[in-house]
Amino acid sequence: MPNTQTIPVNDIAMHVRTEGAGIPVLLVHGFPLDHTMWDAQVEVLAEHCRVIAPDLRGYGATELADAGDPPKITMQQYADDLAALLDALGVDEPVVYAGFSMGGYIGWQFVKNHRDKLRALVLVDTRASDDADDARKMRLKMANHVQEWGAEKVAEAMIPKLFAESSLDALHPMVARTREVISATNPLAIAAAQRGMAERPDSTPDLAGINVPTMAIVGAEDQLSQPEEVQRVVNAIPNAGLVVIPAAGHMAPVEQPDAVNLVLTEFVKSLNA
Ligand code: MLT
């Protein structure tokens, strides 16, 4: 049985799964998902470290609370929630922050504002740049209409972009499960995150100043954070490494869990050495 709890963090009750002991590893999910995207990582990592996998504000079993009118949650707010969660859990040593996609965008704010809580960084299928104008417009369109559309329509639109062509079988449990999670997401949380992502800053200028061990992972067929772009991010961070996962799209941790687990466990072990 997964070990989950719901604890007060800032103005919300935050749902989190924690397993294992040792160096703390914070697994931060993407948009519009929840902590279960990391299920295949949690089991394996928990043999080597203390895994902390929360549902971000508005996702999974974590409440949204008042996100404003119109709803918006900044990457900074999510990062502040995570820092407060670590305090609430009594985590008193710096963590390995592993952020998937939007979890990575939040990670740039965590690096900037909670550096004292950071031991190392793992960037999973994510990027540092802000949005191009048309991408920003698309986000705001979704934010403005998702309540009338419903989250199922968001799932419909996103699924083909999330998986590699070779793993995109609608009947495959991982694809069906991802569709289910997106479809069950509160449309207000979707709108709030889209507005927050639309106004996220370009973090490229901050990369040269990252002075913790950093590892990046990207699916070879990721359409949303393409390997070439992730390579540029890695080149800008001193001593960062990159592993490209074959036969995976954006959802590399779900599509190729064994390959991703190997990179994560080797990286965590190298920190312990
Ligand atoms: C994610 O996977 O978190 C999203 O695709 C990020 C984004 O919309 O840029």
Side-chain angles (χ1 to χ4, degrees), residues 29-33 100-103 105 127 131 139 158 162 194 197 200 224 250:
H29 67 78
F31 165 89
L33 303 168
F100 168 78
S101 199
M102 184 177 82
Y105 309 162
R127 56 211 166 99
D131 285 336
R139 285 198 197 281
M158 285 192 72
L162 294 179
Q194 285 289 41
M197 284 194 281
R200 77 188 191 282
L224 298 177
H250 191 57

Side-chain angles (χ1 to χ4, degrees), residues 202-217:
D202 180 10
S203 294
T204 311
D206 301 331
L207 299 178
I210 295 179
N211 59 356
V212 293
T214 300
M215 176 58 74
I217 297 171

Side-chain angles (χ1 to χ4, degrees), residues 234-259:
V234 166
N235 291 346
I237 301 176
N239 303 315
L242 169 65
V243 177
V244 179
I245 308 289
H250 191 57
M251 298 291 291
V254 173
E255 295 173 89
Q256 296 297 341
D258 293 346

Side-chain angles (χ1 to χ4, degrees), residues 121-126 214-222 225-235 239-250 252-253 256-267:
L121 192 57
V122 186
L123 307 166
V124 186
D125 295 275
T126 193
T214 300
M215 176 58 74
I217 297 171
V218 67
E221 298 171 49
D222 189 338
S225 33
Q226 295 175 350
E228 304 71 35
E229 183 169 6
V230 179
Q231 180 70 66
R232 286 196 292 276
V233 171
V234 166
N235 291 346
N239 303 315
L242 169 65
V243 177
V244 179
I245 308 289
H250 191 57
Q256 296 297 341
D258 293 346
V260 169
N261 289 346
L262 191 64
V263 179
L264 289 172
T265 47
E266 290 302 314
F267 183 65

Side-chain angles (χ1 to χ4, degrees), residues 69-88:
D69 185 14
K72 178 175 76 185
I73 300 173
T74 61
M75 300 303 105
Q76 164 90 53
Q77 173 72 67
Y78 291 121
D80 291 348
D81 287 344
L82 293 171
L85 171 70
L86 295 174
D87 288 340

Side-chain angles (χ1 to χ4, degrees), residues 19-25 45-52 91-96 268 272:
E19 307 283 352
I23 182 169
V25 176
L45 278 174
E47 288 167 26
H48 308 276
C49 49
R50 178 179 182 186
V51 184
I52 303 164
V91 176
D92 55 10
E93 62 174 301
V95 302
V96 179
V268 171
N272 278 329

